[in-house]
Amino acid sequence: MSLKKAAGLDVNGWLDHVARNWSIDLDGEERIGNVVVGHAGPLSAVVKTGDGKWIGGRPADLAPHGRGGGWGQVGAPDRRVFVRDLIEGKIDSAQQLASAFTGLARGSSHTILAIEDSAETTELVQERLLAAMSVAKLRNPALVWRTVLATLFAIAEGLIKAECVVGVISHASCGLSVQKFRVRLEGEKGDVLAPERRSAAKMLSEPLGLRQLFAWVRSQALGSQMTSLENNPVANSQSLAKLALGLPCDPEIVRRDNGDWEEVKLDAIDALRACAIDASSIRFEDCEQVFLETISEGSVRSHLEKSLEAAGISVTHTLPSDAVARGALVAARRMGDGDPVYFDFLPRISTIVSGNEGARNFDLVDETETLEAGRVYRSPAPAQLAIPKGYTETPVYLRKEAELHPRKATIQLAEPLTESTPVSLWVEQKPAAGRARIVMEAASLGRHFTIDWDQADEDPREWDEIINSLTTPPPSIPELLVLKCGMLPWNDAPNSPGMLSLLEQIDEEAIDWRQMAQKASSRPGGEYCVSSDGELPSEVLPASVKQLDELIRRAVDLTEKRLSAGSRHAEQDNAALQFLTWQFRRSPDEVAQWLLECIENHSGTVGTHPFVWHQANWVLVYQGIARTVNNQATEKRILASILKRGIETWNYRAESACVSLLLSRSQTAPLLLSRSDVDIIAERAIFEFRREYETQYTRFNYAPFLIGGLLRWRLKEPWALLTGQDPVADRLAEVIVNARADILNRWGTDDAFERKQKKYLPILDDLLAYLTGEGGNPNLLLALYED
């Protein structure tokens, strides 16, 4: 048996009970072990003594303080305050409420206070009670629902011996509180029965509540005297309160204001009016037992049992009036011994986050989760939000399960943010321990914000309506870059033969591969011989297609021979390879595989591969593979090979160009990127932008193209790279704005540079429009390619 002192309090203001596991002998010695139960009330109060202290419990019941002018100064009304008024907050004094607890549990190592399982026990009421227990200097105080404590009493008394489902009907201030528990085995050895509370209790029959019961009896007993309650000694007499609870009601001597004594002798009153209980919403079929818990006695208790029976509810056991206090003592002992008391759900709290699907609900407290009493819950996955760049405040929408309307809190900052700042939002809470602590953390700012639900503005709209109002269409995505084919390069020009003529002039022994490559890469009128998707113009005759296929085969054979010869013996001429790469996706798959092997195994090394005998050859290798790759597996290997190297080693015409072209021309390549991949590519784009400031922008070809290609990652993450929500987008927008200003500042200084101004400024404006979510030129990637 534990030698720790423990106390269970049922201080409800109607009829209070305390159960302790220690007693004090006449010689003042404490003895721990036996259960001692005391009570105060009915209509318990606290009184102010002559030295200004407040006392409660049985001494307050007996004291004349506050009982009227007949007792002189001691009888002044302000010297007596009813505990019920303190609990309900009609009088807000933690000191006075604390005096109701002080004498009951002083010295206890753990103290449990019962609270009604009803909507009246708000988080504010819980905090009021905990604050008073703290003022009373009670050690390890905790609040536990009456329905839970009634179940713990039943377990301790052996009424519940195994895992099961039980029902509990608790006589509350505002009606009958109905709850169901799954009793389960817990503890280190799995031998401790503990109830699990899965939802708030349902309320039945308000007219049967203790508040209505007291009001009814008072009105019946006083009749026409109800208008003069302040001067009526009967109104708050012990007799009247006892009658309301069905307690024995002996004649009571009271003192009037003039000092006269008067005997109060009340006739028996049917405290519970005839009231049919509508139990249609209550289902106890799965319950092995149903317990009734009430502090009433006698005829009131009997009437309550009969009313439930008439409603079709079969009560297995009606618990004694001190059962809740005794159950609270069981809970205090368990808490002291480290055994589970009960498991509770936490009211669901939700916020709104923006993601790939736009605005959506995010539960900070999972409705399916239960928590052991005394433990602290913290949201396992905080909501991820962002405060946009330039903002000094950000809204946070919140919804609580038990509240009628959602609320909007506004987080204020001292000064505008210089960049978009990610923040995390989570909830910390204990069961039946007052309001949840809602915390927002901005790690990059080193700051925490605590959100006060009560200070937030109520929003009368439905939650879904708020979400819909915050949902906007996802930002635009530039259209896929498709380089079209046409007959212009196939037909002869005034000073140049077309592809048709070249195919007719092919010598069986010798082919001018350089001329063929130049023709394949030429783009008169914006048309290639072959489209970037590998298509040919429909006007090309089958015979010419056959000639082209034969030419491709011979280019493949020649390139294979060069590869077989090795880097030392191969002819240093990539013209045939270049011709093959300009066939785009019509090129045989082995071409892309040769280029991939060169990148994966020889990248950065000159002279170790037949394709690369000079650093400039890497341009053909990287841009060539971007043109010819036609499957996702190869795209994945190319990107992985490039991204694993540091971006500082990239060449703007090689790696940067390859990544730009892949992301722009392929439907599948953007889907292969992870968030970290996007960040790496963005860093390279930022580097290439900054490198060109105050220069002639001679290496600027692919910096905007990288950003344009990255925008197609929105195929995978529709809300990505949007300024104000994505810090990387903010940084990209910043370098674009700076480059634009740099280019504009030198207007008219140089004819060649002026042409660059006219070329780049519209492109930079379109990129900014995409990043800010304002749309932009759908043919942006084509404009980037052409420039």
Side-chain angles (χ1 to χ4, degrees), residues 31 69-70 100 173 270 272 437-438 448 455 461 482 612 746 751:
R31 297 187 183 277
S173 301
D270 189 0
L272 281 180
R437 184 168 178 257
I438 305 172
H448 285 76
Q455 294 300 316
R461 294 177 295 173
V482 178
V612 184
R746 284 179 281 162
D751 289 343

Side-chain angles (χ1 to χ4, degrees), residues 232-478:
N232 193 325
V234 180
N236 294 315
S237 67
Q238 290 283 300
S239 295
L240 195 65
K242 288 178 180 178
L243 197 62
L245 290 174
L247 300 172
C249 187
D250 297 327
E252 179 183 358
I253 304 298
V254 297
R255 196 170 193 176
R256 290 190 170 274
D257 286 348
N258 61 7
D260 291 343
W261 297 93
E262 180 179 335
E263 182 183 48
V264 176
K265 187 175 182 180
L266 298 176
D267 296 329
I269 297 174
D270 189 0
L272 281 180
R273 292 172 288 173
C275 177
I277 298 176
D278 180 8
S280 58
S281 62
I282 306 301
R283 294 287 180 270
F284 282 141
E285 290 86 350
D286 57 339
C287 296
E288 293 189 16
Q289 298 186 79
V290 176
F291 300 99
L292 170 62
E293 176 275 306
T294 177
I295 56 174
S296 66
E297 299 281 3
S299 61
V300 176
R301 174 178 288 234
S302 175
H303 190 141
L304 189 59
E305 291 172 330
K306 291 177 181 177
S307 296
L308 290 169
E309 185 178 357
I313 299 176
S314 178
V315 174
T316 312
H317 298 280
T318 300
L319 305 179
S321 59
D322 60 5
V324 167
R326 290 176 178 269
L329 175 58
V330 173
R333 282 172 165 172
R334 288 191 178 194
M335 198 163 284
D337 294 339
D339 289 332
V341 177
Y342 78 108
F343 294 83
D344 203 355
F345 81 101
L346 293 171
R348 184 167 52 171
I349 300 176
S350 306
T351 189
I352 299 174
V353 299
S354 293
N356 296 341
E357 303 82 20
R360 61 182 176 86
N361 175 79
F362 187 95
D363 290 335
L364 297 165
V365 177
D366 189 344
E367 64 179 341
T368 64
E369 196 164 352
T370 57
L371 188 69
E372 185 178 346
R375 306 284 185 186
V376 177
Y377 174 91
R378 176 169 171 163
S379 305
Q384 301 300 326
L385 311 173
I387 305 176
K389 175 184 176 181
Y391 281 57
T392 57
E393 62 180 35
T394 187
V396 177
Y397 287 92
L398 297 167
R399 176 182 62 168
K400 282 189 178 182
E401 186 174 17
E403 297 290 338
L404 183 61
H405 295 298
R407 298 204 176 189
K408 175 186 175 182
T410 302
I411 303 300
Q412 299 284 351
L413 303 174
E415 56 188 27
L417 292 173
T418 57
E419 60 181 3
S420 180
T421 303
V423 293
S424 300
L425 186 71
W426 72 83
V427 164
E428 292 178 354
Q429 189 172 18
K430 281 185 180 182
R435 286 170 291 187
R437 184 168 178 257
I438 305 172
V439 180
M440 175 183 279
E441 178 185 25
S444 61
L445 301 179
R447 292 194 60 185
H448 285 76
F449 305 90
T450 300
I451 298 175
D452 189 335
W453 168 269
D454 295 308
Q455 294 300 316
D457 298 325
E458 190 172 274
D459 193 321
R461 294 177 295 173
E462 295 293 329
W463 189 241
D464 288 343
E465 184 181 350
I466 297 174
I467 292 174
N468 291 335
S469 72
L470 299 174
T471 299
T472 56
S476 302
I477 304 173

Side-chain angles (χ1 to χ4, degrees), residues 54 148 205 303 360 374 489 511 541 570 595 622 624 628 666 675 733-734:
W54 290 85
V148 169
S205 193
H303 190 141
R360 61 182 176 86
I511 298 175
L541 298 176
L595 295 169
Y622 278 97
T628 57
S666 170
R675 177 72 231 198
E734 181 182 12

Side-chain angles (χ1 to χ4, degrees), residues 589-649:
D589 185 58
E590 56 258 46
V591 176
Q593 299 305 315
W594 294 334
L595 295 169
L596 177 60
E597 190 277 335
C598 180
I599 290 172
E600 288 182 331
N601 301 320
H602 303 274
S603 184
T605 306
V606 174
T608 60
H609 192 279
F611 295 165
V612 184
W613 62 90
H614 188 277
Q615 198 66 34
N617 297 135
W618 287 115
V619 175
L620 172 60
V621 172
Y622 278 97
Q623 294 192 23
I625 196 170
R627 288 192 287 268
T628 57
V629 61
N630 57 15
N631 64 80
Q632 193 173 20
T634 305
E635 290 174 344
K636 184 174 183 179
R637 289 175 60 186
I638 297 168
L639 288 169
S641 180
I642 294 175
L643 290 169
K644 73 180 180 181
R645 282 180 264 130
I647 56 174
E648 66 278 358
T649 67

